[in-house]
Amino acid sequence: MAVYTEVGDAELEAFLAEYDIGQADALKGVAEGVENSNYLLTTDRGQYFLTLYEKRVDPKDLPFFLGLMDHLSARGINCPKPIHGRDGNAVRTLAGRPAAITTFLHGLSPRRIAVRHCGPVGEALAGLHLAGRDFKLKRPNALSVAGWRPLFDASRRHIDAAMERELGSEVDFFEANWPKGLPSGVIHADLFNDNVFFLHDKLSGLIDFYFACNDFFAYDVAVCLNAWCFESDNSFNATKARALLQAYDKARKLNDDERRLLPLLARGSALRFLLTRLYDWVHTPADALVKRKDPQEYVAKLRFHRGTTSLADYGL
């Protein structure tokens, strides 16, 4: 389970005394996620989600993350809503870590992605981009191209020489060729299937906004192509991509530059997740109760995107 920090009974009781959500009945570690310690919190008034922030999350970013969830929720995006304490604050300290409680969303993440899931994801992503346009706080994408070389350098001694040359070449390429000037705003940046809930085949919510930032909208679309449109054998499913892209385009139309550069952005997105997975694979503590994600999956995705030339390769 993704639990780095254990919470004691007395600590939890004192923490909840700052809120008006009742007394704890149960606290259970949640299996998903690799960044933070996550718990399902049940009180005598309902269910909530408790997160203790660690690893890559900078406490200075928490007002952005939590403020964004408040903002999106107020604009009709079904996402977790931060619970504010009696003093109005959404962030406090628990077990020596910054911590927050959010509302609990009902639904299940699709374990086997089907075409019927991809259209709603594209529509929801466009809705998020539109709803976030007037959010006042800003946060740069710390895991955009400027962050890739440090990840590569910290992990390169753990891979073979051929892979080191391939990844080093990719980092060099993107440092020289990353686009500029595309439409931008608040993006989710991590909208994988475990961050999207469905209920009776209808999309019921988006979660995990702790990579959210300001960046190109089309980059967020590219992340979703990698997350939703490959099969278990790493083959690309153009039917899924077409459903996702058409639904997105119907809600927020991609301009000509975004369409032209989407293959390059998808390639860059694949490199980003390859490098972060590789970093986590070699640097996650041996005693951490967390399931590491295999970076090899993204080697295949990276190579696919490197061989594409236009949106026709993505079903459009």
Side-chain angles (χ1 to χ4, degrees):
M1 294 184 296
V3 174
Y4 296 89
T5 302
E6 299 288 344
V7 177
D9 293 345
E11 290 176 306
L12 180 61
E13 183 179 358
F15 183 75
L16 290 181
E18 302 295 325
Y19 295 87
D20 190 24
I21 59 172
Q23 296 181 333
D25 284 339
L27 187 69
K28 181 180 180 181
V30 175
E32 284 78 17
V34 297
E35 297 299 321
N36 303 308
S37 294
N38 297 306
Y39 291 92
L40 175 61
L41 169 66
T42 304
T43 77
D44 53 13
R45 297 189 189 178
Q47 287 185 308
Y48 303 89
F49 203 75
L50 169 64
T51 300
L52 281 67
Y53 301 101
E54 36 206 335
K55 293 197 71 178
R56 293 195 189 103
V57 177
D58 187 336
K60 292 183 293 186
D61 288 330
L62 291 176
F64 177 92
F65 298 143
L66 297 171
L68 176 61
M69 286 188 274
D70 269 328
H71 178 92
L72 295 175
S73 180
R75 281 152 182 78
I77 303 298
N78 197 18
C79 64
K81 183 176 175 59
I83 302 296
H84 295 256
R86 293 192 180 96
D87 59 0
N89 293 324
V91 182
R92 32 193 22 94
T93 300
L94 176 61
R97 300 285 189 271
I101 300 173
T102 61
T103 55
F104 179 81
L105 295 186
H106 292 279
L108 294 172
S109 298
R111 298 305 180 192
R112 184 170 296 177
I113 296 170
V115 173
R116 68 180 183 275
H117 297 121
C118 296
V121 168
E123 181 182 9
L125 184 68
L128 186 158
H129 291 166
L130 295 173
R133 287 183 301 181
D134 60 341
F135 183 58
K136 302 301 183 185
L137 298 182
K138 306 292 183 184
R139 178 180 180 267
N141 186 357
L143 290 173
S144 187
V145 62
W148 297 346
R149 186 169 296 279
L151 290 168
F152 171 63
D153 288 342
S155 308
R156 62 192 303 171
R157 67 185 179 88
H158 298 277
I159 55 179
D160 63 40
M163 182 59 64
E164 183 180 7
R165 286 193 299 272
E166 181 176 1
L167 296 187
S169 177
E170 288 292 307
V171 173
D172 291 342
F173 171 81
F174 282 110
E175 287 179 342
N177 294 282
W178 195 243
K180 297 180 180 179
L182 292 177
S184 62
V186 173
I187 69 169
H188 186 283
D190 194 41
L191 201 61
F192 281 68
N193 61 308
D194 54 355
N195 291 331
V196 180
F197 287 170
F198 284 80
L199 203 57
H200 308 303
D201 278 341
K202 182 178 180 181
L203 194 149
S204 61
L206 309 177
I207 67 168
D208 197 352
F209 286 80
Y210 300 113
F211 287 105
C213 57
N214 293 87
D215 206 337
F216 303 144
F217 294 133
Y219 177 74
D220 221 11
V221 177
V223 170
C224 286
L225 288 174
N226 279 312
W228 292 85
C229 302
F230 283 85
E231 299 302 318
S232 57
D233 63 356
N234 293 323
S235 62
F236 187 74
N237 187 318
T239 303
K240 291 180 178 179
R242 186 182 305 114
L244 191 152
L245 292 171
Q246 287 179 340
Y248 182 93
D249 212 45
K250 187 175 180 180
R252 181 197 164 266
K253 192 169 183 61
L254 294 163
N255 70 24
D256 290 343
D257 286 338
E258 289 176 303
R259 295 169 71 89
R260 176 176 57 86
L261 290 167
L262 193 57
L264 183 144
L265 294 169
R267 176 179 166 187
S269 163
L271 180 63
R272 173 267 194 251
F273 285 99
L274 195 167
L275 290 172
T276 50
R277 286 187 175 195
L278 177 62
Y279 182 92
D280 287 340
W281 190 265
V282 300
H283 293 287
T284 297
D287 59 349
L289 300 174
V290 61
K291 182 180 180 181
R292 298 176 299 174
K293 296 180 179 179
D294 187 357
Q296 196 64 36
E297 170 189 345
Y298 272 83
V299 175
K301 294 180 179 182
L302 176 68
R303 291 170 179 169
F304 168 81
H305 296 303
R306 198 161 61 217
T308 62
T309 58
S310 72
L311 271 187
D313 296 305
Y314 296 86
L316 291 183

